[in-house]
Amino acid sequence: MNALTVGVVGAGRVGAVLGAALAAAGHRVVAAAAVSAASRERVARLLPGAAVLPADEVARAADDLLLLAVPDDALAAVVAGLDRTGALRPGQVVAHTSGAHGLAVLGDVNGMALHPAMTFTGADTDLDRLPGIAWGVTTRDRAFATRLVADLGGVPEWVAEDSRPLYHAALAHGANHLVTLVNEAAGLLRSAGVEQPGRVLEPLLTAALDNALRMGDAALTGPVSRGDAGTVAKHLDRMPGEAVPAYLAMARRTADRAIASGRLRPIDATALLTVLTAAEDALTTHAVGSPA
């Protein structure tokens, strides 16, 4: 693809890194909007050739591509504001990085939804994670999007407009909740006296993730998949109260999947489901009886 003149609105963890990736691919990132001190530092570090300007001036400087990397709930207002002030122009492509939104949020503005399926910290090392990742793309111009994603070293996954929320929910459920799950497990290990939870969890969770991606529900192991009601009851009895609801929700869903996939026979699940139901009822009773 010929070199594009690019502007970035939103130099947060995502915008600054993607701007740097576009620059590394030979495009000209000429301006970026950065409000906070952290954002301005990221621009200076990752986009040293870009001028820090207000959002409307960034849009006017971006002759070919305007990248909007702003929070989901702010996106519609940002697009409307830029359009209302005349900062957008015909021939310019506006690409937003929201996973949950598609083209509707852009209104009549020519553009695309361009969401990297990756987690970002805003560090330089994020650039090393981009090659080979999938991009959830919704666009009317697949040829342009394909070339742009290829310049970023990625692979496009075409997501229909009405499927954007479900697509994004899948990624958030898998990645964001995984962080919570890992930290919950690490906290329980510390409570059990384990001084270095990471050393215990890393090989176990790495293997579990690899198995799950390769084998699906056939990778299920552990007491729930075996129907070990007594073990699960002991878990629930000893866990701190704040950890019980999440454990119960995941145990219930794990049991459902184990049964549906044939890993756990319904007859062998009876005692386990009884334990889970009793614990769920206890939670409900406690919630109802708690003072407002």
Side-chain angles (χ1 to χ4, degrees):
M1 179 183 288
N2 294 332
L4 303 174
T5 300
V6 182
V8 178
V9 173
R13 295 180 177 185
V14 178
V17 170
L18 297 189
L22 287 167
H27 300 295
R28 297 177 58 247
V29 181
V30 295
V35 177
S36 69
S39 294
R40 291 193 295 272
E41 184 277 329
R42 275 190 288 268
V43 171
R45 177 166 43 84
L46 293 170
L47 303 171
V52 177
L53 301 171
D56 61 328
E57 294 184 31
V58 172
R60 291 186 174 91
D63 292 337
D64 303 307
L65 177 66
L66 179 63
L67 187 68
L68 302 181
V70 299
D72 290 354
D73 289 351
L75 181 56
V78 170
V79 173
L82 292 173
D83 194 30
R84 185 172 57 251
T85 60
L88 306 179
R89 65 174 69 86
Q92 179 188 56
V93 176
V94 177
H96 72 73
T97 62
S98 168
H101 288 293
L103 299 180
V105 72
L106 296 174
D108 295 329
V109 173
N110 176 39
M112 68 178 72
L114 189 69
H115 178 257
M118 179 49 63
T119 184
F120 291 83
T121 64
D124 299 36
T125 52
D126 287 345
L127 287 166
D128 298 331
R129 293 178 171 150
L130 292 181
I133 72 167
W135 293 71
V137 183
T138 304
T139 181
R140 299 182 187 90
D141 188 349
R142 288 195 175 189
F144 179 83
T146 298
R147 293 194 299 270
L148 186 60
V149 171
D151 280 355
L152 292 165
V155 179
E157 289 288 341
W158 309 112
V159 182
E161 177 75 16
D162 62 357
S163 294
R164 295 294 298 193
L166 185 60
Y167 155 82
H168 192 241
L171 299 186
H173 192 33
N176 304 153
H177 295 172
L178 177 63
V179 174
T180 302
L181 181 62
V182 171
N183 286 323
E184 285 277 289
L188 293 174
L189 283 174
R190 290 189 190 95
S191 297
V194 176
E195 294 183 358
Q196 297 184 50
R199 186 173 64 183
V200 176
L201 289 173
E202 183 175 5
L204 174 66
L205 300 188
T206 299
L209 178 59
D210 178 64
N211 290 342
L213 292 174
R214 289 188 299 105
M215 301 166 60
D217 286 326
L220 281 173
T221 62
V224 172
S225 69
R226 294 190 298 267
D228 289 344
T231 298
V232 171
K234 288 180 181 179
H235 291 177
L236 292 167
D237 182 59
R238 296 300 298 274
M239 292 177 76
E242 65 272 13
V244 168
Y247 179 97
L248 266 179
M250 291 303 296
R252 171 67 70 175
R253 190 67 185 121
T254 300
D256 291 343
R257 296 191 72 96
I259 293 168
S261 64
R263 304 290 293 175
L264 178 62
R265 296 187 306 167
I267 191 171
D268 295 329
T270 303
L272 170 69
L273 296 178
T274 298
V275 167
L276 296 181
T277 299
E280 290 162 349
D281 290 345
L283 278 182
T284 301
T285 301
H286 177 74
V288 170
S290 297

